[in-house]
Every structure is written in structure tokens, then in C-alpha cells.
Amino acid sequence: MKRLILTAAALIVSATGIATGVLAQTYPDKVVRMVVPFPAGGSYDVIARLIGAGLGERWGQQIVIDNKGGAAGEIGAAAVATAAPDGYTLLLFGDGILINQGLMKNRAFHPLKSFSPVTLVARSPQVLVASQSLNVTSLTELVARSKAGKLDLPFGTAGSGTPGHLAAELLAAKSGLPLRHVPYRGGAPALADLLGNHLGLVSTGLPALIGSIQSGSIIPLAVSSEKRSTLLPNVPAMNESVPGVFLDTWYGILAPAGLPDPIAQKIYTDVSAVMRAPEMSTKLAEQGFEFVGGSPEELKGVMERDLPRWQEVIDLAGIKPGQ
């Protein structure tokens, strides 16, 4: 009897594996919805639409980009967390899904438990930039000047708790820089005040800054990534001047928890193939993104590594949940 039960269980497992494999072979056979938890026109939307256009051609199915903004990405993410784990509802999000874990009270989902990582699409560092009027050309010079005399260094960001804010807070804690946070409603108004010399420093994502950096109207001092960005090879990493200061900002595709591995692998493989096309890499670089093409396992590893790190920096910045 016991042998019969074990044999039946093995057959069920085998049948389930076969069924999942067949499902992956036919996936997708209908419209796929990719949720972007922010309004149209932003950096997440740009990447999602590049991916959607390429996958639509490759799969012969429509990829609908669903901009479901609100609550710093929480509304869109929550909608995906409760969807069926069949590959037809995907989420294009990034490090914000980890940051919000330390900022939100009574969150409806958990970033590591409620989602299946699918692919690490791209990275884009936070950049500390200076106005021309500040008259500094490097982070090393800024730190040296601050130690030589008292400085008041207000820095603008896209808002409290954003990656740019937290990167600068970590830098201040490790370097002793007297940085004073000035939150804005987005990176664009912060940049406008920097260009108008109403502000000396801004810390925000490269996509919002790349045009002004390339034109020479602002001075890039350092990037937040652990190593220099291939998009700004002459700009040092913060880590070079102040060891231990790095925060990884990334863009990836997630699905509801329980997504079958063969479907996750198919999406990862096809997204990578689409984004490796030379014209796609060029478009990404022009917008300030580095293509990664990481596997589900790589994205899982990044998320597990970074969740406690973001919490540490949130605590360092003194930001309480719900603020």
C-alpha cells in the first residue's frame, strides 16, 4: 500500500512537471499585462515600453503597459501581488519595492515573499551633482573643503526616502559631510533649482541628469554604484572616496509568487534577447540605463542582499515608517 501511495505521488509530481513544461512551451497565448507602478513618462515607463515593444514582436502577442501609479509604487505592486502566478501579469519595479518595506506601515505584501523574481533588466546609479557656482569638481575636493571650514551644504532630491536621498544620507554619515536635505516633488524641479544656482547639490537618478551632465551645465561628483558606471566612466564611485558607501539601484521584472520556473526562465531569456539588440542597448544608454540581463536567481540574490541594507540606511537617515 505504501509503495502504491509513493508511486502515485511520483506520477502526480511527474505529470505536474510535464504539464508545466508544456505550458511554458505555449506561453504566451494571450495578452500579457506589464504593470508599471508609476505614471507614464518616467524611467520605469521608458524601460517597460522598450521591453513591451520587443516582446510583442518576438511573441506575437500584445504586451499591455498598465501605468498604475500611486503611493510610491505600492498600488501597482499590490495589484500584481494578488494576481494569478501564470505569467500574464508582470511588474516592472526596482529597488523602491525594497525601500518601501522600511517606509510603509501595515504593508499588504512582502517584497521577498509575495513575488517571483524574473529578470534583472537594468541598473542606473544615483549621482551626486554640483552646480557650476559651487566650484568643486570632485567628491574628494568637496570632503576636503568641508573639513577645512564650516560649510552648509543643502542638497536636493526627488523626495524623502528616494534612493538619491538615502545614498546622500549614507555618504554624509560615512564622510562627515554637512549635508542638509531639501526634498522636492521629483528630480526635475530639484535639477531646475540646481541649474538656476539656487541649490549647490542634487542627488538623484542618472536618467533625470544625463542630458545636463552631457551638456556640461552641471558637474557630476560621484555615482552611488559600487563601481564606476559604464555610462559615466570618468566619474568616480562614492566608494572610491568614502569606503563602504554604495547603493545599487536597479530595474527588474517580478511576477506573483508561485510563477512556474519554466515560464520565469522563458520570460528572462526572451527579455534578454530583446534588450541585447544593439539598437535597444543604445536606447537604454541614451536614457541613462545600463543593461544587465540578470537571471531570476541573480535578481533574487540582489533583493535578498539589498533589503537589509536599505533598512540600515533608512534607520541611519532617521526616517520612521509612515512618514
Side-chain angles (χ1 to χ4, degrees):
M1 183 69 179
K2 183 177 180 181
R3 182 177 295 178
L4 286 174
I5 292 173
L6 290 174
T7 301
L11 288 172
I12 290 171
V13 170
S14 176
T16 301
I18 293 171
T20 300
V22 171
L23 183 64
Q25 291 174 9
T26 60
Y27 172 87
D29 59 7
K30 61 182 180 181
V31 173
V32 175
R33 182 170 66 113
M34 184 178 295
V35 174
V36 178
F38 299 100
S43 57
Y44 290 96
D45 187 61
V46 168
I47 292 180
R49 292 184 187 281
L50 286 174
I51 293 171
L55 286 181
E57 292 182 10
R58 188 176 183 88
W59 288 346
Q61 295 289 344
Q62 185 180 7
I63 314 298
V64 174
I65 306 303
D66 183 3
N67 294 96
K68 194 177 290 292
E74 293 293 283
I75 293 174
V80 175
T82 57
D86 55 9
Y88 290 96
T89 304
L90 304 173
L91 175 68
L92 195 289
F93 209 169
D95 46 272
I97 200 169
L98 305 179
I99 294 171
N100 288 350
Q101 185 67 19
L103 299 178
M104 305 287 183
K105 290 182 178 179
N106 303 316
R107 206 176 189 196
F109 56 85
H110 190 280
L112 302 182
K113 298 176 183 178
S114 303
F115 299 93
S116 294
V118 177
T119 178
L120 179 62
V121 178
R123 287 189 171 97
S124 185
Q126 303 301 301
V127 189
L128 181 67
V129 295
S131 66
Q132 295 284 355
S133 63
L134 195 59
N135 198 28
V136 293
T137 58
S138 70
L139 177 58
T140 301
E141 182 183 353
L142 185 67
V143 172
R145 281 180 53 185
S146 73
K147 289 179 178 179
K150 291 185 178 179
L151 287 178
D152 178 33
L153 294 175
F155 71 98
T157 71
S160 181
T162 59
H165 172 213
L166 297 177
E169 293 286 4
L170 179 60
L171 174 63
K174 297 286 188 179
S175 67
L177 272 172
L179 297 176
R180 178 167 56 85
H181 186 216
V182 182
Y184 285 76
R185 292 182 178 273
L191 177 60
D193 270 5
L194 187 78
L195 291 169
N197 292 320
H198 304 300
L199 193 64
L201 297 167
V202 162
S203 178
T204 194
L206 179 57
L209 303 170
I210 191 166
S212 297
I213 291 173
Q214 291 173 341
S215 70
S217 54
I218 59 177
I219 310 298
L221 302 180
V223 296
S224 68
S225 45
E226 188 171 5
K227 299 178 181 178
R228 295 191 184 198
S229 169
T230 59
L231 302 176
L232 297 173
N234 296 322
V235 179
M238 293 178 182
N239 202 33
E240 294 178 39
S241 299
V242 188
V245 177
F246 66 89
L247 291 171
D248 190 22
T249 50
W250 51 268
Y251 299 77
I253 294 177
L254 304 169
L259 180 72
D261 288 343
I263 294 179
Q265 289 292 331
K266 177 176 176 57
I267 298 170
Y268 151 61
T269 300
D270 289 347
V271 168
S272 295
V274 165
M275 302 310 284
R276 279 196 172 91
E279 64 273 16
M280 285 293 191
S281 296
T282 299
K283 288 178 181 178
L284 278 177
E286 288 173 350
Q287 298 287 338
F289 306 108
E290 284 182 74
F291 171 67
V292 178
S295 67
E297 293 75 20
E298 184 175 350
L299 177 53
K300 180 182 179 181
V302 167
M303 293 176 70
E304 290 176 342
R305 180 200 71 182
D306 286 355
L307 181 60
R309 185 168 177 79
W310 283 115
Q311 183 62 61
E312 178 186 355
V313 181
I314 289 168
D315 293 342
L316 192 66
I319 303 173
K320 303 300 181 184
Q323 286 187 225

